[in-house]
Amino acid sequence: MKAINVGLLGIGTVGGGTYTVLARNAEEITRRAGRPIRIDIVADRNLERVHEITGGSCRATDDAFAVVDDPAIDIVVELIGGYDLARQLVLAAIANGKHVVTANKALLAKHGNEIFAAAQQKGVMVGFEAAVAGGIPIIKALREGLTANRIEWIAGIINGTTNFILSEMRDKGLPFATVLQDAQRLGYAEADPTFDVEGIDAAHKLSIMSAIAFGSAMNFAQAHIEGISQLEAVDIKYAERLGYRIKLLGITKRTSEGVELRVHPTLIPAKRLIANVEGAMNAVLVKGDAVGATLYYGKGAGAEPTASAVIADLVDVTRMHTADPEHRVPHLAFQPGAMVELPILPIAEVTTSYYLRLRVEDRAGVLADVARLLADNGISIDAMIQREPNEGEEQTDIIMLTHQTRERHIDQAIAGIEALPAVKGSIIRLRLEELL
Ligand code: HSE
């Protein structure tokens, strides 16, 4: 049986895991794929590392372009990350008629439309299971398993670093900055954690899922993105008292007016399964009209979990390699000619519930004024707690949950409330989803 030849670009954590798992499970993978999947050449700047991992069992080069131009290579696996070089390499591989497998969510979120159009034109496959939620087969589930459904919404914990930080903040009552430092010391968070903590990594993954769920183009540029760096431990505590947990969620929802595409810290009921996803784990909740809510849970990063997804794509490509392009599963789940343009809703038009925390003077009539401003904007209060003021203290905190309203209405109400003389400083506002 002639092997299918893979050219691996990058043998870092995921590349190393891919080599190891392919070697360890070669016999079973061959039985599944129908023929051996062989890493024929590895490109990496660090040739010593290539040798360390492969033991000289395949060719090595420090020139990634030599791999994408190599006529012996059937599938290029791009694991170098980043935007520009990865884009050039992937487009060159496609232009040379090679199939591509990538774990690069940033690349697809930014250049996915161009890459899929090029792949479509050349009749090659682009696999990207590893780009979203690491080892969880969420792309397969959305693209194939749920294909009967009209997908209504997706809500996911799709960044392990931030979920780890939030779990630690809740467990230990520590502030964000302290937990981040610990996470960096333990190697859970990158030295530059911006992409993770500011929600950008989650938004990349969300944009990909949204496109597949609704059959529309990738729309990362229009996503609303808020991270967790401004989140205070006290809000995690108050949320808990009200029966909620705070998670960094990526949410995409189809409404009659357009698509919501947003990443932000979100209160969710503590009794939901997804609220109990702790540490660096990932989970994605998908609501389909026929199946109802389905939940996918697992490791969203790491060498072998991500390799599991890369190799699943390699097996898919190997199986479908000789099929007519029109008989393969479409890249974005919908046939290329059947994609639609759906407007992305600005955040001001999103409808959700809210958590508000305000510092107020503790005297008669203050709460009535606040409630009146909410009512004037059509906002109904769902729950409220007031902190016991300390001995001699003349100010207190009020924490409120609202029923659903449009974001622009809560913005207006907040502006009015902040202008009240009895209200001190800015109001903390977080979004809340029941996930029903
Ligand atoms: N940095 C990501 C996370 C993993 O923390 O989940 C890779 O996407």
Side-chain angles (χ1 to χ4, degrees):
M1 240 178 320
K2 188 177 171 306
I4 196 152
N5 281 331
V6 175
L8 189 60
L9 308 183
I11 196 154
T13 305
V14 178
T18 300
Y19 185 89
T20 307
V21 175
L22 260 181
R24 187 171 72 226
N25 296 342
E27 193 256 341
E28 293 223 7
I29 291 169
T30 304
R31 280 168 56 210
R32 290 188 173 117
R35 59 194 276 202
I37 297 173
R38 183 166 75 101
I39 296 187
D40 181 31
I41 185 165
V42 177
D44 199 286
R45 274 194 299 237
N46 185 347
L47 290 174
E48 245 172 63
R49 179 172 163 83
V50 179
H51 195 80
E52 235 169 67
I53 292 176
T54 64
S57 65
C58 62
R59 294 182 290 146
T61 174
D62 57 6
D63 178 7
F65 283 96
V67 175
V68 302
D69 288 336
D70 187 333
I73 296 303
D74 303 300
I75 311 173
V76 169
V77 177
E78 184 275 306
L79 299 174
I80 56 174
Y83 298 105
D84 295 333
L85 179 61
R87 172 180 165 273
Q88 282 178 44
L89 287 165
V90 163
L91 288 174
I94 291 170
N96 288 334
K98 301 187 192 309
H99 306 288
V100 171
V101 171
T102 179
N104 191 335
K105 52 245 145 197
L107 172 74
L108 294 180
K110 206 162 163 196
H111 302 297
N113 296 327
E114 179 189 16
I115 288 169
F116 292 124
Q120 170 66 21
Q121 214 226 332
K122 264 313 228 184
V124 296
M125 290 173 267
V126 177
F128 53 97
E129 183 68 68
V132 181
I136 305 175
I138 188 63
I139 300 300
K140 192 83 162 175
L142 284 170
R143 198 161 52 183
E144 299 177 49
L146 298 176
T147 203
N149 289 263
R150 187 172 200 277
I151 307 255
E152 294 174 2
W153 52 260
I154 299 173
I157 296 172
I158 43 181
N159 183 269
T161 306
T162 44
N163 203 53
F164 172 82
I165 293 173
L166 292 177
S167 294
E168 291 285 293
M169 285 174 75
R170 185 176 75 83
D171 252 16
K172 302 183 175 151
L174 291 171
F176 168 80
T178 310
V179 177
L180 174 61
Q181 272 172 11
D182 287 349
Q184 284 172 317
R185 196 168 36 77
L186 295 168
Y188 291 127
E190 305 276 349
D192 178 359
T194 314
F195 262 42
D196 290 323
V197 302
E198 297 305 346
I200 299 160
D201 174 73
H204 286 149
K205 296 165 183 168
L206 182 70
S207 310
I208 296 170
M209 289 197 290
S210 182
I212 298 178
F214 306 133
S216 58
M218 305 266 178
N219 260 311
F220 169 71
Q222 291 178 68
H224 176 85
I225 310 173
E226 287 173 37
I228 62 165
S229 59
Q230 304 305 312
L231 192 69
E232 294 180 49
V234 68
D235 294 308
I236 296 178
K237 201 178 73 190
Y238 283 134
E240 189 129 49
R241 270 179 63 186
L242 290 158
Y244 292 82
R245 297 260 168 94
I246 300 182
K247 295 289 183 189
L248 183 72
L249 287 192
I251 300 170
T252 186
K253 195 180 289 184
R254 177 162 27 193
T255 76
S256 55
E257 296 162 58
V259 169
E260 296 181 7
L261 191 65
R262 48 191 170 104
V263 172
H264 50 71
T266 314
L267 275 79
I268 53 178
K271 60 186 177 210
R272 300 271 177 274
L273 269 180
I274 193 170
N276 295 282
V277 171
E278 299 290 1
M281 300 303 280
N282 280 200
V284 183
L285 192 51
V286 183
K287 175 88 182 284
D289 68 336
V291 71
T294 56
L295 180 64
Y296 309 83
Y297 169 84
K299 289 186 179 153
E304 295 206 4
T306 313
S308 165
V310 169
I311 296 168
D313 277 344
L314 285 173
V315 171
D316 267 359
V317 172
T318 303
R319 286 171 175 154
M320 297 305 289
H321 165 66
T322 52
D324 291 338
E326 59 270 26
H327 294 141
R328 296 179 188 143
V329 180
H331 294 119
L332 293 177
F334 291 74
Q335 297 297 337
M339 302 289 282
V340 288
E341 266 191 41
L342 296 171
I344 302 297
L345 285 182
I347 193 70
E349 298 308 322
V350 161
T351 298
T352 185
S353 305
Y354 293 87
Y355 162 103
L356 305 176
R357 170 166 62 85
L358 40 155
R359 167 63 53 99
V360 297
E361 287 173 14
D362 194 13
R363 61 175 169 75
V366 173
L367 186 56
D369 288 344
V370 171
R372 189 171 338 100
L373 277 159
L374 288 170
D376 287 350
N377 286 283
I379 300 164
S380 167
I381 298 167
D382 180 39
M384 204 203 87
I385 49 179
Q386 179 173 332
R387 180 175 61 78
E388 275 295 298
N390 298 320
E391 186 79 24
E393 199 185 13
E394 285 169 3
Q395 294 183 358
T396 188
D397 293 326
I398 293 175
I399 295 91
M400 285 177 165
L401 303 184
T402 75
H403 285 293
Q404 286 203 334
T405 182
R406 271 205 205 252
E407 179 118 348
R408 69 182 143 87
H409 295 151
I410 202 90
D411 286 344
Q412 260 166 20
I414 286 176
I417 296 168
E418 283 179 342
L420 292 172
V423 174
K424 307 295 169 196
S426 304
I427 294 176
I428 302 298
R429 175 261 306 273
L430 295 166
R431 302 177 186 88
L432 183 156
E433 294 283 343
E434 292 293 336
L435 299 180
L436 285 171

